[in-house]
Amino acid sequence: MKWGMPDMMRSRYFFNSSIIRQNLRQHGWMGIIYALGLMFALPLQLFMSNNPNAKPREIDHLFRITGEMQMIFIVSMPVVAGLFLFYYLQTKSPSDMWHSLPLRREHLLTSHLFSGLLLLLIPVWLTAAVVALVRQWSGNLYIFQGNEIWSWCIAVTVLTLFLFCLSVFVGICSGQSVLQGIIIYALLLLPAVGILLLDSHLSIYLYGYPELSAYHNNLEYWSPFIRMMNISGNPFSSVELWVYVGFSALFIGLSYLLYRKRHSEKAGQAIAFVYFNPLFKAGIMICCMLIAGNYFAQMKHQQIGWIISGYAIGAIVGYIAAEMIIRKTWQIVTRKVPVEFAIYTALLGLFLYIPASGLTGYETRVPSEDKISGVFAGSSYWMYNRAGDTFGGNFLTDEDLFSKDKQYIEAVRKLHLAVATIRPENKLSKPYFDYSEYQSFTVAYSLDNGRELLRKYLVPLKGFEPELKVVMESEGFKRAQYAVSQLEKNIDLIRINSSVGNLNKQVVISDPEEITEFKAILKKEILNMSYEDQTDDRAAVANIAPIVNIDGIGSSTFFNYSWFASYHELEKWMEEKGYANKVRTNAEDVESAKLVKVDHNRTAENVYDPELLLKLAGNENQVILTEDKAVLADILKQRRSYSYKNSDYLVKLIYNGGYTDFVMLKASDLTPGLKALLK
């Protein structure tokens, strides 16, 4: 390679055209692949459809067009460019050669950065230009505005810049190309994975912890990789793009700073800077500890020996793995290893223990009434759309979530105080858990300072009746728990179908006047429900699904309702309209039923297998078979959802067509006909 005087003069300005030309010749294939990939994923797809009669449809952003396919190239090619352009840092001979040139390291870095950006950004801009050119061509199956092209181009430019800068930064900090690639994608996933692991860890040990990550759909925002791969339904906002620009600038600045201090002999080493070794070890160890600890804690709950062993095993595996990667050998045992391992384990153990120990007062914290602006209590907190987006105007938002009624706030606080003080037995400590004995409660406070305080409990029905009754009979509870606000919005259709799915019994109410009447009656029935109605385990008569038409396509709204046996006014209206028998399961739908008295002592170990319970009773000739329609009608009227511990009789219903279902009856449910049969 020859270096001319003009190039040496230009090197004072951090650019060297010979290096750039060399990079373009040697690595130009990356730009070609990136351009072809983007062309295939976007301009070509404008005209692709397996439906010959497809008509153009309007879209609000270009990521609607095979966004995941676009992201495959966007997520991979900038990383590949960083790996190849800075490969010389990871191998001794190329590293010595490049660093022997009469160029400062800042000049080398700038030239390689500029080469990479040329290879990556020109394909993006070229693709945007082609999309703008073919947008008006006949055969285009998508309708979009010119500003959508600009938005796509800016977003892809920023993401490409971010990923390339991250790849360069990691390449400077590491000394092996394979490890560089692994670390890049690990960093892109680590925030979300870390939140999941910590969330699971805290939910096991902190009483009332709501395990947020299992329900929050914004978890993807913590992982650039997941966020990019879910781009089709939710494009990047301008705030997100500016955040990525900021991180790109940070990575560039750190790259210049660290490259100046990097030693050439670090090529081939796992970590190029010694002071990153503790962070690398701690990161791997804590991930392994959380994975192993969570596994053993969930599989061997409340067996402290297993739990401690899980965290210890995770710490050992993580430390050994980190040491072997750093030293590039499995021979890692030295005198300092036990002491260093003990220090890391102790510090990381405290890091995991303190937040989960309750020492912070998390488990007993209940805000004072004067700091609360709104409250929610119930099991439906997670169905509310916290992002504020709507679906046909029917998604439930924060405005529907929190009640500002002072009496209701105080009622929820009293329930929360009672639960936090008494701390009823955790479900996982019982060998057999029956949800019918509990009420699931998420308690959420909207505080005056704009923050939320969130807890989740399983509250036993026995022992907390006074507090539960006041809360559950309040209008604020029922409005949020049963999504009453949805019934106050426009609904195009109401589909009502049998609670037994395979019977295919349903009616669709489409008359606007009937829809208005039905919504008013259903709303009244919900708001009039007593505590006993809400905790009753009787099976629903039918399912109710409001429907909203969007662009001529029927789509169910966010929350479906049940027609409960306590809804007498609704039942009367359905019968007057002639709809009741069209959806209600009746004796003619059932071929036969098998009944057996439950023996709790004999079959306690088989409570989750009703078929086995029936078989064991059949072996002792204790199963009663009936095809009497009057008896079947009594069973259908009194049937309860299957719950072993709270019932006295197990019933297997055999419906027409062979479908079977298990229900339960209590002794108090037995009609004279059933009593006569069971004698």
Side-chain angles (χ1 to χ4, degrees), residues 169 171-174 254-255 257-263 266 270-278:
F169 169 70
I172 290 173
C173 295
S174 64
L254 291 175
S255 297
L257 177 65
L258 294 174
Y259 190 28
R260 195 181 306 166
K261 299 181 178 181
R262 177 186 167 116
H263 299 297
K266 290 297 182 179
I271 306 297
F273 301 96
V274 176
Y275 39 82
F276 282 162
N277 286 350

mmCIF file with all atom_site columns, all heavy atoms in Angstrom, residues 169 171-174 254-255 257-263 266 270-278:
data_model
loop_
_atom_site.group_PDB
_atom_site.id
_atom_site.type_symbol
_atom_site.label_atom_id
_atom_site.label_alt_id
_atom_site.label_comp_id
_atom_site.label_asym_id
_atom_site.label_entity_id
_atom_site.label_seq_id
_atom_site.pdbx_PDB_ins_code
_atom_site.Cartn_x
_atom_site.Cartn_y
_atom_site.Cartn_z
_atom_site.occupancy
_atom_site.B_iso_or_equiv
_atom_site.pdbx_formal_charge
_atom_site.auth_seq_id
_atom_site.auth_comp_id
_atom_site.auth_asym_id
_atom_site.auth_atom_id
_atom_site.pdbx_PDB_model_num
ATOM 1   N N   . PHE A 1 169 ? -17.626 0.377   19.088 1.00 0.00 ? 169 PHE A N   1
ATOM 2   C CA  . PHE A 1 169 ? -17.263 0.545   20.498 1.00 0.00 ? 169 PHE A CA  1
ATOM 3   C C   . PHE A 1 169 ? -16.928 -0.798  21.141 1.00 0.00 ? 169 PHE A C   1
ATOM 4   O O   . PHE A 1 169 ? -15.909 -0.937  21.840 1.00 0.00 ? 169 PHE A O   1
ATOM 5   C CB  . PHE A 1 169 ? -18.408 1.223   21.242 1.00 0.00 ? 169 PHE A CB  1
ATOM 6   C CG  . PHE A 1 169 ? -18.263 1.220   22.732 1.00 0.00 ? 169 PHE A CG  1
ATOM 7   C CD1 . PHE A 1 169 ? -17.299 1.995   23.356 1.00 0.00 ? 169 PHE A CD1 1
ATOM 8   C CD2 . PHE A 1 169 ? -19.087 0.424   23.521 1.00 0.00 ? 169 PHE A CD2 1
ATOM 9   C CE1 . PHE A 1 169 ? -17.154 1.986   24.737 1.00 0.00 ? 169 PHE A CE1 1
ATOM 10  C CE2 . PHE A 1 169 ? -18.959 0.404   24.893 1.00 0.00 ? 169 PHE A CE2 1
ATOM 11  C CZ  . PHE A 1 169 ? -17.985 1.184   25.498 1.00 0.00 ? 169 PHE A CZ  1
ATOM 12  N N   . GLY A 1 171 ? -16.010 -3.485  19.598 1.00 0.00 ? 171 GLY A N   1
ATOM 13  C CA  . GLY A 1 171 ? -14.795 -3.989  18.963 1.00 0.00 ? 171 GLY A CA  1
ATOM 14  C C   . GLY A 1 171 ? -13.530 -3.413  19.577 1.00 0.00 ? 171 GLY A C   1
ATOM 15  O O   . GLY A 1 171 ? -12.520 -4.111  19.715 1.00 0.00 ? 171 GLY A O   1
ATOM 16  N N   . ILE A 1 172 ? -13.586 -2.151  19.953 1.00 0.00 ? 172 ILE A N   1
ATOM 17  C CA  . ILE A 1 172 ? -12.422 -1.519  20.585 1.00 0.00 ? 172 ILE A CA  1
ATOM 18  C C   . ILE A 1 172 ? -12.210 -2.060  21.998 1.00 0.00 ? 172 ILE A C   1
ATOM 19  O O   . ILE A 1 172 ? -11.080 -2.205  22.461 1.00 0.00 ? 172 ILE A O   1
ATOM 20  C CB  . ILE A 1 172 ? -12.603 0.010   20.598 1.00 0.00 ? 172 ILE A CB  1
ATOM 21  C CG1 . ILE A 1 172 ? -12.497 0.555   19.166 1.00 0.00 ? 172 ILE A CG1 1
ATOM 22  C CG2 . ILE A 1 172 ? -11.580 0.692   21.501 1.00 0.00 ? 172 ILE A CG2 1
ATOM 23  C CD1 . ILE A 1 172 ? -12.835 2.015   19.036 1.00 0.00 ? 172 ILE A CD1 1
ATOM 24  N N   . CYS A 1 173 ? -13.308 -2.405  22.679 1.00 0.00 ? 173 CYS A N   1
ATOM 25  C CA  . CYS A 1 173 ? -13.199 -2.897  24.054 1.00 0.00 ? 173 CYS A CA  1
ATOM 26  C C   . CYS A 1 173 ? -12.864 -4.379  24.127 1.00 0.00 ? 173 CYS A C   1
ATOM 27  O O   . CYS A 1 173 ? -12.431 -4.860  25.179 1.00 0.00 ? 173 CYS A O   1
ATOM 28  C CB  . CYS A 1 173 ? -14.501 -2.637  24.808 1.00 0.00 ? 173 CYS A CB  1
ATOM 29  S SG  . CYS A 1 173 ? -14.871 -0.889  25.040 1.00 0.00 ? 173 CYS A SG  1
ATOM 30  N N   . SER A 1 174 ? -13.084 -5.126  23.066 1.00 0.00 ? 174 SER A N   1
ATOM 31  C CA  . SER A 1 174 ? -12.816 -6.560  23.071 1.00 0.00 ? 174 SER A CA  1
ATOM 32  C C   . SER A 1 174 ? -11.655 -6.874  22.143 1.00 0.00 ? 174 SER A C   1
ATOM 33  O O   . SER A 1 174 ? -11.225 -6.032  21.355 1.00 0.00 ? 174 SER A O   1
ATOM 34  C CB  . SER A 1 174 ? -14.068 -7.343  22.645 1.00 0.00 ? 174 SER A CB  1
ATOM 35  O OG  . SER A 1 174 ? -14.412 -7.041  21.305 1.00 0.00 ? 174 SER A OG  1
ATOM 36  N N   . LEU A 1 254 ? -16.666 7.579   23.288 1.00 0.00 ? 254 LEU A N   1
ATOM 37  C CA  . LEU A 1 254 ? -15.923 6.589   24.066 1.00 0.00 ? 254 LEU A CA  1
ATOM 38  C C   . LEU A 1 254 ? -14.950 5.808   23.194 1.00 0.00 ? 254 LEU A C   1
ATOM 39  O O   . LEU A 1 254 ? -13.865 5.419   23.650 1.00 0.00 ? 254 LEU A O   1
ATOM 40  C CB  . LEU A 1 254 ? -16.903 5.630   24.746 1.00 0.00 ? 254 LEU A CB  1
ATOM 41  C CG  . LEU A 1 254 ? -17.763 6.216   25.870 1.00 0.00 ? 254 LEU A CG  1
ATOM 42  C CD1 . LEU A 1 254 ? -18.773 5.203   26.362 1.00 0.00 ? 254 LEU A CD1 1
ATOM 43  C CD2 . LEU A 1 254 ? -16.884 6.693   27.024 1.00 0.00 ? 254 LEU A CD2 1
ATOM 44  N N   . SER A 1 255 ? -15.330 5.584   21.946 1.00 0.00 ? 255 SER A N   1
ATOM 45  C CA  . SER A 1 255 ? -14.435 4.863   21.036 1.00 0.00 ? 255 SER A CA  1
ATOM 46  C C   . SER A 1 255 ? -13.141 5.636   20.815 1.00 0.00 ? 255 SER A C   1
ATOM 47  O O   . SER A 1 255 ? -12.041 5.065   20.856 1.00 0.00 ? 255 SER A O   1
ATOM 48  C CB  . SER A 1 255 ? -15.137 4.605   19.703 1.00 0.00 ? 255 SER A CB  1
ATOM 49  O OG  . SER A 1 255 ? -16.267 3.767   19.866 1.00 0.00 ? 255 SER A OG  1
ATOM 50  N N   . LEU A 1 257 ? -11.874 7.885   22.823 1.00 0.00 ? 257 LEU A N   1
ATOM 51  C CA  . LEU A 1 257 ? -11.149 7.943   24.091 1.00 0.00 ? 257 LEU A CA  1
ATOM 52  C C   . LEU A 1 257 ? -10.419 6.633   24.380 1.00 0.00 ? 257 LEU A C   1
ATOM 53  O O   . LEU A 1 257 ? -9.233  6.628   24.754 1.00 0.00 ? 257 LEU A O   1
ATOM 54  C CB  . LEU A 1 257 ? -12.131 8.267   25.219 1.00 0.00 ? 257 LEU A CB  1
ATOM 55  C CG  . LEU A 1 257 ? -11.559 8.291   26.641 1.00 0.00 ? 257 LEU A CG  1
ATOM 56  C CD1 . LEU A 1 257 ? -10.548 9.423   26.783 1.00 0.00 ? 257 LEU A CD1 1
ATOM 57  C CD2 . LEU A 1 257 ? -12.679 8.445   27.665 1.00 0.00 ? 257 LEU A CD2 1
ATOM 58  N N   . LEU A 1 258 ? -11.104 5.501   24.193 1.00 0.00 ? 258 LEU A N   1
ATOM 59  C CA  . LEU A 1 258 ? -10.522 4.206   24.537 1.00 0.00 ? 258 LEU A CA  1
ATOM 60  C C   . LEU A 1 258 ? -9.524  3.724   23.497 1.00 0.00 ? 258 LEU A C   1
ATOM 61  O O   . LEU A 1 258 ? -8.537  3.059   23.842 1.00 0.00 ? 258 LEU A O   1
ATOM 62  C CB  . LEU A 1 258 ? -11.641 3.169   24.713 1.00 0.00 ? 258 LEU A CB  1
ATOM 63  C CG  . LEU A 1 258 ? -12.591 3.418   25.899 1.00 0.00 ? 258 LEU A CG  1
ATOM 64  C CD1 . LEU A 1 258 ? -13.728 2.416   25.891 1.00 0.00 ? 258 LEU A CD1 1
ATOM 65  C CD2 . LEU A 1 258 ? -11.835 3.343   27.219 1.00 0.00 ? 258 LEU A CD2 1
ATOM 66  N N   . TYR A 1 259 ? -9.774  4.045   22.221 1.00 0.00 ? 259 TYR A N   1
ATOM 67  C CA  . TYR A 1 259 ? -8.849  3.598   21.177 1.00 0.00 ? 259 TYR A CA  1
ATOM 68  C C   . TYR A 1 259 ? -7.464  4.204   21.389 1.00 0.00 ? 259 TYR A C   1
ATOM 69  O O   . TYR A 1 259 ? -6.430  3.593   21.119 1.00 0.00 ? 259 TYR A O   1
ATOM 70  C CB  . TYR A 1 259 ? -9.409  3.971   19.808 1.00 0.00 ? 259 TYR A CB  1
ATOM 71  C CG  . TYR A 1 259 ? -8.673  3.348   18.639 1.00 0.00 ? 259 TYR A CG  1
ATOM 72  C CD1 . TYR A 1 259 ? -8.010  2.127   18.752 1.00 0.00 ? 259 TYR A CD1 1
ATOM 73  C CD2 . TYR A 1 259 ? -8.647  3.985   17.408 1.00 0.00 ? 259 TYR A CD2 1
ATOM 74  C CE1 . TYR A 1 259 ? -7.350  1.561   17.682 1.00 0.00 ? 259 TYR A CE1 1
ATOM 75  C CE2 . TYR A 1 259 ? -7.990  3.428   16.320 1.00 0.00 ? 259 TYR A CE2 1
ATOM 76  C CZ  . TYR A 1 259 ? -7.342  2.217   16.470 1.00 0.00 ? 259 TYR A CZ  1
ATOM 77  O OH  . TYR A 1 259 ? -6.683  1.650   15.417 1.00 0.00 ? 259 TYR A OH  1
ATOM 78  N N   . ARG A 1 260 ? -7.453  5.422   21.898 1.00 0.00 ? 260 ARG A N   1
ATOM 79  C CA  . ARG A 1 260 ? -6.186  6.095   22.167 1.00 0.00 ? 260 ARG A CA  1
ATOM 80  C C   . ARG A 1 260 ? -5.386  5.347   23.245 1.00 0.00 ? 260 ARG A C   1
ATOM 81  O O   . ARG A 1 260 ? -4.161  5.366   23.245 1.00 0.00 ? 260 ARG A O   1
ATOM 82  C CB  . ARG A 1 260 ? -6.477  7.528   22.618 1.00 0.00 ? 260 ARG A CB  1
ATOM 83  C CG  . ARG A 1 260 ? -5.276  8.463   22.582 1.00 0.00 ? 260 ARG A CG  1
ATOM 84  C CD  . ARG A 1 260 ? -5.682  9.845   23.070 1.00 0.00 ? 260 ARG A CD  1
ATOM 85  N NE  . ARG A 1 260 ? -6.825  10.362  22.343 1.00 0.00 ? 260 ARG A NE  1
ATOM 86  C CZ  . ARG A 1 260 ? -7.541  11.414  22.728 1.00 0.00 ? 260 ARG A CZ  1
ATOM 87  N NH1 . ARG A 1 260 ? -7.237  12.019  23.864 1.00 0.00 ? 260 ARG A NH1 1
ATOM 88  N NH2 . ARG A 1 260 ? -8.557  11.835  22.009 1.00 0.00 ? 260 ARG A NH2 1
ATOM 89  N N   . LYS A 1 261 ? -6.090  4.655   24.168 1.00 0.00 ? 261 LYS A N   1
ATOM 90  C CA  . LYS A 1 261 ? -5.423  3.983   25.283 1.00 0.00 ? 261 LYS A CA  1
ATOM 91  C C   . LYS A 1 261 ? -5.257  2.485   25.069 1.00 0.00 ? 261 LYS A C   1
ATOM 92  O O   . LYS A 1 261 ? -4.639  1.814   25.888 1.00 0.00 ? 261 LYS A O   1
ATOM 93  C CB  . LYS A 1 261 ? -6.232  4.206   26.567 1.00 0.00 ? 261 LYS A CB  1
ATOM 94  C CG  . LYS A 1 261 ? -6.370  5.677   26.951 1.00 0.00 ? 261 LYS A CG  1
ATOM 95  C CD  . LYS A 1 261 ? -7.165  5.833   28.232 1.00 0.00 ? 261 LYS A CD  1
ATOM 96  C CE  . LYS A 1 261 ? -7.263  7.296   28.638 1.00 0.00 ? 261 LYS A CE  1
ATOM 97  N NZ  . LYS A 1 261 ? -8.019  7.473   29.905 1.00 0.00 ? 261 LYS A NZ  1
ATOM 98  N N   . ARG A 1 262 ? -5.810  1.970   23.997 1.00 0.00 ? 262 ARG A N   1
ATOM 99  C CA  . ARG A 1 262 ? -5.755  0.527   23.775 1.00 0.00 ? 262 ARG A CA  1
ATOM 100 C C   . ARG A 1 262 ? -4.359  0.096   23.338 1.00 0.00 ? 262 ARG A C   1
ATOM 101 O O   . ARG A 1 262 ? -3.767  0.702   22.438 1.00 0.00 ? 262 ARG A O   1
ATOM 102 C CB  . ARG A 1 262 ? -6.785  0.128   22.720 1.00 0.00 ? 262 ARG A CB  1
ATOM 103 C CG  . ARG A 1 262 ? -6.758  -1.360  22.374 1.00 0.00 ? 262 ARG A CG  1
ATOM 104 C CD  . ARG A 1 262 ? -7.704  -1.665  21.225 1.00 0.00 ? 262 ARG A CD  1
ATOM 105 N NE  . ARG A 1 262 ? -7.455  -2.992  20.690 1.00 0.00 ? 262 ARG A NE  1
ATOM 106 C CZ  . ARG A 1 262 ? -8.317  -3.997  20.717 1.00 0.00 ? 262 ARG A CZ  1
ATOM 107 N NH1 . ARG A 1 262 ? -9.503  -3.829  21.261 1.00 0.00 ? 262 ARG A NH1 1
ATOM 108 N NH2 . ARG A 1 262 ? -8.002  -5.173  20.191 1.00 0.00 ? 262 ARG A NH2 1
ATOM 109 N N   . HIS A 1 263 ? -3.851  -0.980  23.940 1.00 0.00 ? 263 HIS A N   1
ATOM 110 C CA  . HIS A 1 263 ? -2.551  -1.511  23.574 1.00 0.00 ? 263 HIS A CA  1
ATOM 111 C C   . HIS A 1 263 ? -2.699  -2.503  22.421 1.00 0.00 ? 263 HIS A C   1
ATOM 112 O O   . HIS A 1 263 ? -3.601  -3.339  22.412 1.00 0.00 ? 263 HIS A O   1
ATOM 113 C CB  . HIS A 1 263 ? -1.896  -2.210  24.769 1.00 0.00 ? 263 HIS A CB  1
ATOM 114 C CG  . HIS A 1 263 ? -1.654  -1.296  25.927 1.00 0.00 ? 263 HIS A CG  1
ATOM 115 N ND1 . HIS A 1 263 ? -0.803  -0.212  25.858 1.00 0.00 ? 263 HIS A ND1 1
ATOM 116 C CD2 . HIS A 1 263 ? -2.171  -1.295  27.191 1.00 0.00 ? 263 HIS A CD2 1
ATOM 117 C CE1 . HIS A 1 263 ? -0.790  0.409   27.025 1.00 0.00 ? 263 HIS A CE1 1
ATOM 118 N NE2 . HIS A 1 263 ? -1.611  -0.228  27.852 1.00 0.00 ? 263 HIS A NE2 1
ATOM 119 N N   . LYS A 1 266 ? -3.187  -6.298  22.886 1.00 0.00 ? 266 LYS A N   1
ATOM 120 C CA  . LYS A 1 266 ? -4.446  -6.839  23.394 1.00 0.00 ? 266 LYS A CA  1
ATOM 121 C C   . LYS A 1 266 ? -5.230  -7.577  22.319 1.00 0.00 ? 266 LYS A C   1
ATOM 122 O O   . LYS A 1 266 ? -6.271  -8.174  22.611 1.00 0.00 ? 266 LYS A O   1
ATOM 123 C CB  . LYS A 1 266 ? -5.310  -5.707  23.968 1.00 0.00 ? 266 LYS A CB  1
ATOM 124 C CG  . LYS A 1 266 ? -4.775  -5.115  25.268 1.00 0.00 ? 266 LYS A CG  1
ATOM 125 C CD  . LYS A 1 266 ? -4.747  -6.157  26.372 1.00 0.00 ? 266 LYS A CD  1
ATOM 126 C CE  . LYS A 1 266 ? -4.261  -5.551  27.685 1.00 0.00 ? 266 LYS A CE  1
ATOM 127 N NZ  . LYS A 1 266 ? -4.264  -6.547  28.769 1.00 0.00 ? 266 LYS A NZ  1
ATOM 128 N N   . ALA A 1 270 ? -9.704  -11.503 25.288 1.00 0.00 ? 270 ALA A N   1
ATOM 129 C CA  . ALA A 1 270 ? -11.159 -11.362 25.360 1.00 0.00 ? 270 ALA A CA  1
ATOM 130 C C   . ALA A 1 270 ? -11.555 -9.917  25.641 1.00 0.00 ? 270 ALA A C   1
ATOM 131 O O   . ALA A 1 270 ? -12.404 -9.344  24.952 1.00 0.00 ? 270 ALA A O   1
ATOM 132 C CB  . ALA A 1 270 ? -11.718 -12.289 26.438 1.00 0.00 ? 270 ALA A CB  1
ATOM 133 N N   . ILE A 1 271 ? -10.954 -9.321  26.652 1.00 0.00 ? 271 ILE A N   1
ATOM 134 C CA  . ILE A 1 271 ? -11.258 -7.947  27.048 1.00 0.00 ? 271 ILE A CA  1
ATOM 135 C C   . ILE A 1 271 ? -9.991  -7.122  26.888 1.00 0.00 ? 271 ILE A C   1
ATOM 136 O O   . ILE A 1 271 ? -8.929  -7.479  27.412 1.00 0.00 ? 271 ILE A O   1
ATOM 137 C CB  . ILE A 1 271 ? -11.761 -7.867  28.504 1.00 0.00 ? 271 ILE A CB  1
ATOM 138 C CG1 . ILE A 1 271 ? -12.950 -8.819  28.706 1.00 0.00 ? 271 ILE A CG1 1
ATOM 139 C CG2 . ILE A 1 271 ? -12.151 -6.452  28.858 1.00 0.00 ? 271 ILE A CG2 1
ATOM 140 C CD1 . ILE A 1 271 ? -14.163 -8.496  27.882 1.00 0.00 ? 271 ILE A CD1 1
ATOM 141 N N   . ALA A 1 272 ? -10.095 -6.006  26.174 1.00 0.00 ? 272 ALA A N   1
ATOM 142 C CA  . ALA A 1 272 ? -8.910  -5.206  25.853 1.00 0.00 ? 272 ALA A CA  1
ATOM 143 C C   . ALA A 1 272 ? -8.470  -4.326  27.012 1.00 0.00 ? 272 ALA A C   1
ATOM 144 O O   . ALA A 1 272 ? -7.329  -3.860  27.032 1.00 0.00 ? 272 ALA A O   1
ATOM 145 C CB  . ALA A 1 272 ? -9.175  -4.354  24.613 1.00 0.00 ? 272 ALA A CB  1
ATOM 146 N N   . PHE A 1 273 ? -9.348  -4.073  27.964 1.00 0.00 ? 273 PHE A N   1
ATOM 147 C CA  . PHE A 1 273 ? -9.021  -3.182  29.073 1.00 0.00 ? 273 PHE A CA  1
ATOM 148 C C   . PHE A 1 273 ? -9.233  -3.925  30.387 1.00 0.00 ? 273 PHE A C   1
ATOM 149 O O   . PHE A 1 273 ? -10.332 -4.432  30.663 1.00 0.00 ? 273 PHE A O   1
ATOM 150 C CB  . PHE A 1 273 ? -9.882  -1.922  29.031 1.00 0.00 ? 273 PHE A CB  1
ATOM 151 C CG  . PHE A 1 273 ? -9.730  -1.133  27.759 1.00 0.00 ? 273 PHE A CG  1
ATOM 152 C CD1 . PHE A 1 273 ? -10.626 -1.302  26.714 1.00 0.00 ? 273 PHE A CD1 1
ATOM 153 C CD2 . PHE A 1 273 ? -8.668  -0.248  27.602 1.00 0.00 ? 273 PHE A CD2 1
ATOM 154 C CE1 . PHE A 1 273 ? -10.483 -0.588  25.546 1.00 0.00 ? 273 PHE A CE1 1
ATOM 155 C CE2 . PHE A 1 273 ? -8.517  0.474   26.418 1.00 0.00 ? 273 PHE A CE2 1
ATOM 156 C CZ  . PHE A 1 273 ? -9.417  0.290   25.390 1.00 0.00 ? 273 PHE A CZ  1
ATOM 157 N N   . VAL A 1 274 ? -8.211  -3.954  31.197 1.00 0.00 ? 274 VAL A N   1
ATOM 158 C CA  . VAL A 1 274 ? -8.256  -4.722  32.441 1.00 0.00 ? 274 VAL A CA  1
ATOM 159 C C   . VAL A 1 274 ? -9.355  -4.231  33.359 1.00 0.00 ? 274 VAL A C   1
ATOM 160 O O   . VAL A 1 274 ? -10.009 -5.027  34.050 1.00 0.00 ? 274 VAL A O   1
ATOM 161 C CB  . VAL A 1 274 ? -6.883  -4.649  33.149 1.00 0.00 ? 274 VAL A CB  1
ATOM 162 C CG1 . VAL A 1 274 ? -6.937  -5.356  34.499 1.00 0.00 ? 274 VAL A CG1 1
ATOM 163 C CG2 . VAL A 1 274 ? -5.792  -5.252  32.276 1.00 0.00 ? 274 VAL A CG2 1
ATOM 164 N N   . TYR A 1 275 ? -9.598  -2.923  33.379 1.00 0.00 ? 275 TYR A N   1
ATOM 165 C CA  . TYR A 1 275 ? -10.598 -2.405  34.314 1.00 0.00 ? 275 TYR A CA  1
ATOM 166 C C   . TYR A 1 275 ? -12.026 -2.752  33.905 1.00 0.00 ? 275 TYR A C   1
ATOM 167 O O   . TYR A 1 275 ? -12.978 -2.443  34.633 1.00 0.00 ? 275 TYR A O   1
ATOM 168 C CB  . TYR A 1 275 ? -10.465 -0.889  34.487 1.00 0.00 ? 275 TYR A CB  1
ATOM 169 C CG  . TYR A 1 275 ? -10.138 -0.103  33.251 1.00 0.00 ? 275 TYR A CG  1
ATOM 170 C CD1 . TYR A 1 275 ? -11.121 0.269   32.343 1.00 0.00 ? 275 TYR A CD1 1
ATOM 171 C CD2 . TYR A 1 275 ? -8.823  0.278   32.989 1.00 0.00 ? 275 TYR A CD2 1
ATOM 172 C CE1 . TYR A 1 275 ? -10.805 1.003   31.220 1.00 0.00 ? 275 TYR A CE1 1
ATOM 173 C CE2 . TYR A 1 275 ? -8.513  1.006   31.854 1.00 0.00 ? 275 TYR A CE2 1
ATOM 174 C CZ  . TYR A 1 275 ? -9.502  1.362   30.970 1.00 0.00 ? 275 TYR A CZ  1
ATOM 175 O OH  . TYR A 1 275 ? -9.186  2.083   29.844 1.00 0.00 ? 275 TYR A OH  1
ATOM 176 N N   . PHE A 1 276 ? -12.226 -3.381  32.753 1.00 0.00 ? 276 PHE A N   1
ATOM 177 C CA  . PHE A 1 276 ? -13.549 -3.893  32.395 1.00 0.00 ? 276 PHE A CA  1
ATOM 178 C C   . PHE A 1 276 ? -13.756 -5.327  32.885 1.00 0.00 ? 276 PHE A C   1
ATOM 179 O O   . PHE A 1 276 ? -14.882 -5.830  32.871 1.00 0.00 ? 276 PHE A O   1
ATOM 180 C CB  . PHE A 1 276 ? -13.752 -3.859  30.878 1.00 0.00 ? 276 PHE A CB  1
ATOM 181 C CG  . PHE A 1 276 ? -14.065 -2.490  30.340 1.00 0.00 ? 276 PHE A CG  1
ATOM 182 C CD1 . PHE A 1 276 ? -13.904 -2.213  28.990 1.00 0.00 ? 276 PHE A CD1 1
ATOM 183 C CD2 . PHE A 1 276 ? -14.527 -1.485  31.165 1.00 0.00 ? 276 PHE A CD2 1
ATOM 184 C CE1 . PHE A 1 276 ? -14.187 -0.962  28.481 1.00 0.00 ? 276 PHE A CE1 1
ATOM 185 C CE2 . PHE A 1 276 ? -14.816 -0.223  30.671 1.00 0.00 ? 276 PHE A CE2 1
ATOM 186 C CZ  . PHE A 1 276 ? -14.648 0.040   29.324 1.00 0.00 ? 276 PHE A CZ  1
ATOM 187 N N   . ASN A 1 277 ? -12.687 -5.992  33.317 1.00 0.00 ? 277 ASN A N   1
ATOM 188 C CA  . ASN A 1 277 ? -12.806 -7.381  33.745 1.00 0.00 ? 277 ASN A CA  1
ATOM 189 C C   . ASN A 1 277 ? -13.781 -7.567  34.918 1.00 0.00 ? 277 ASN A C   1
ATOM 190 O O   . ASN A 1 277 ? -14.607 -8.489  34.896 1.00 0.00 ? 277 ASN A O   1
ATOM 191 C CB  . ASN A 1 277 ? -11.431 -7.940  34.116 1.00 0.00 ? 277 ASN A CB  1
ATOM 192 C CG  . ASN A 1 277 ? -10.578 -8.218  32.889 1.00 0.00 ? 277 ASN A CG  1
ATOM 193 O OD1 . ASN A 1 277 ? -11.070 -8.170  31.757 1.00 0.00 ? 277 ASN A OD1 1
ATOM 194 N ND2 . ASN A 1 277 ? -9.304  -8.508  33.106 1.00 0.00 ? 277 ASN A ND2 1
ATOM 195 N N   . PRO A 1 278 ? -13.712 -6.729  35.973 1.00 0.00 ? 278 PRO A N   1
ATOM 196 C CA  . PRO A 1 278 ? -14.671 -6.908  37.072 1.00 0.00 ? 278 PRO A CA  1
ATOM 197 C C   . PRO A 1 278 ? -16.121 -6.767  36.617 1.00 0.00 ? 278 PRO A C   1
ATOM 198 O O   . PRO A 1 278 ? -16.988 -7.524  37.060 1.00 0.00 ? 278 PRO A O   1
ATOM 199 C CB  . PRO A 1 278 ? -14.279 -5.801  38.062 1.00 0.00 ? 278 PRO A CB  1
ATOM 200 C CG  . PRO A 1 278 ? -12.848 -5.523  37.767 1.00 0.00 ? 278 PRO A CG  1
ATOM 201 C CD  . PRO A 1 278 ? -12.694 -5.705  36.294 1.00 0.00 ? 278 PRO A CD  1
#
